[in-house]
Amino acid sequence: MIARLAARVAEARKQRGLPRRVLSEMSGVSPRYLAQLEAGEGNISVLLLQRIAEALDVRIELLLAEDTAPDHDVQRVAALYRQAPAGVQQQVSGILTPQNPNLMRAGRICLIGLRGAGKSTLGQMAGDALGIPFVELNRDIEELADMPLNDVMSFYGDAGYRRLEAQALERVSARHDRVVLAVAGGIVAEERTFTHLLERFHTVWIKTTPAEHMQRVRAQGDHRPMQGNPAAMAHLKDLLQARTPFYAQAEGQVDTSDRAVRSSLNDLLAVIAKQRFLDRPS
């Protein structure tokens, strides 16, 4: 690592055309210390290295990365991408996406569908069975907002929740190459977020009957779908009908109606194996 750091600092200094003396003045690090650093003999502190990185206009992590550090043009493009609006970022990602879409999705599995179908239960069990992390996106949203989900909805409203949902999805995509993710049923309401989901994850629609949806939600201790709302079942059926075209875009389906949890898990694992969701295409 020290040898790699020495080469990176020396190369960055030469690319900027800076004599060691000038870099010393810009960073506040002595020329003698810089010479030792570039020779692979310096035991530099993180704070001093940060000052050198700033003087070289290079992010400190690029000096330490195991793979080849990008040149200044690549760094500049990366900075422009980070500062661009979400729409521009999406266009750039679309241009750079490999022709084989499975390359982007490989290893990432997302369970979609209405609440009460069994996404969280099956997601956790599938993650354990496959030896990969399970993430529930709403828990990640709570972490981002630093408050419970009910407070998120009260404080930010639906529009604010959708923004946090998009950020959380991006964060999960960036953090995990292999993961089972469960998302809220309404993620299909935001076209850009749902498109991102379909691009980055293999999807499985976890489905059941409206009656079982309602029964399971009530079994979780949430009686709101029934209290003071005699038309709740009709509303649930309308909601399911409206969202079915979106859920049907999933690459696989698992129907949990009248099925034991273990049987539904076996069905899900069979879909994952048959579709080879965890394989990385060559």
Side-chain angles (χ1 to χ4, degrees), residues 81-181:
Y81 178 85
R82 288 193 298 271
Q83 296 165 11
V88 174
Q89 290 183 350
Q90 188 173 8
Q91 292 178 29
V92 172
S93 297
I95 294 171
L96 297 177
T97 297
Q99 292 300 308
N100 182 355
N102 286 336
L103 286 172
M104 291 294 289
R105 303 174 188 145
R108 299 194 194 104
I109 301 161
C110 181
L111 309 183
I112 64 175
L114 283 183
R115 183 181 177 190
K119 294 171 296 184
S120 298
T121 299
L122 293 179
Q124 182 66 69
M125 294 175 70
D128 292 342
L130 297 169
I132 60 178
F134 167 68
V135 175
E136 193 163 5
L137 196 63
N138 273 343
R139 302 289 80 80
D140 214 64
I141 292 171
E142 290 180 327
E143 185 178 322
L144 273 174
D146 195 26
M147 62 178 69
L149 194 64
N150 287 340
D151 292 345
V152 170
M153 298 302 296
S154 298
F155 189 80
Y156 291 102
D158 186 67
Y161 169 81
R162 293 300 171 203
R163 287 194 297 271
L164 288 169
E165 183 179 55
Q167 294 173 20
L169 182 64
E170 183 66 42
R171 188 165 78 159
V172 172
S173 301
R175 284 181 171 179
H176 299 283
D177 286 330
R178 293 167 68 84
V179 67
V180 178
L181 175 69

Side-chain angles (χ1 to χ4, degrees), residues 4-220:
R4 183 169 63 243
L5 175 61
R8 296 269 172 81
V9 172
E11 179 63 25
R13 181 175 64 80
K14 291 174 183 176
Q15 284 185 355
R16 294 207 59 195
L18 295 176
R20 197 174 287 140
R21 173 183 53 80
V22 176
L23 178 58
S24 172
E25 293 173 356
M26 294 173 64
S27 64
V29 179
S30 72
R32 180 172 177 273
Y33 201 101
L34 286 172
Q36 290 179 329
L37 178 62
E38 291 186 8
E41 300 171 357
N43 186 18
I44 192 166
S45 72
V46 173
L47 292 177
L48 286 182
L49 184 59
Q50 178 64 43
R51 283 156 56 180
I52 293 172
E54 290 173 353
L56 292 171
D57 193 25
V58 173
R59 294 171 64 185
I60 186 172
E61 58 265 33
L62 298 180
L63 295 176
L64 297 168
E66 289 189 16
D67 54 355
T68 303
D71 59 28
H72 281 281
D73 285 342
V74 174
Q75 294 175 42
R76 190 174 294 112
V77 170
L80 290 172
Y81 178 85
R82 288 193 298 271
Q83 296 165 11
V88 174
Q89 290 183 350
Q90 188 173 8
Q91 292 178 29
V92 172
S93 297
I95 294 171
L96 297 177
T97 297
Q99 292 300 308
N100 182 355
N102 286 336
L103 286 172
M104 291 294 289
R105 303 174 188 145
R108 299 194 194 104
I109 301 161
C110 181
L111 309 183
I112 64 175
L114 283 183
R115 183 181 177 190
K119 294 171 296 184
S120 298
T121 299
L122 293 179
Q124 182 66 69
M125 294 175 70
D128 292 342
L130 297 169
I132 60 178
F134 167 68
V135 175
E136 193 163 5
L137 196 63
N138 273 343
R139 302 289 80 80
D140 214 64
I141 292 171
E142 290 180 327
E143 185 178 322
L144 273 174
D146 195 26
M147 62 178 69
L149 194 64
N150 287 340
D151 292 345
V152 170
M153 298 302 296
S154 298
F155 189 80
Y156 291 102
D158 186 67
Y161 169 81
R162 293 300 171 203
R163 287 194 297 271
L164 288 169
E165 183 179 55
Q167 294 173 20
L169 182 64
E170 183 66 42
R171 188 165 78 159
V172 172
S173 301
R175 284 181 171 179
H176 299 283
D177 286 330
R178 293 167 68 84
V179 67
V180 178
L181 175 69
V183 297
I187 198 168
V188 300
E190 182 58 50
E191 181 180 0
R192 182 180 299 169
T193 305
F194 188 52
T195 298
H196 176 83
L197 174 65
L198 295 176
E199 288 175 349
R200 301 296 180 89
F201 291 82
H202 290 295
T203 47
V204 181
W205 178 14
I206 308 298
K207 57 191 295 189
T208 190
T209 63
E212 288 205 41
H213 274 296
M214 190 71 73
Q215 180 182 348
R216 291 172 186 175
V217 169
R218 295 187 67 196
Q220 293 168 8

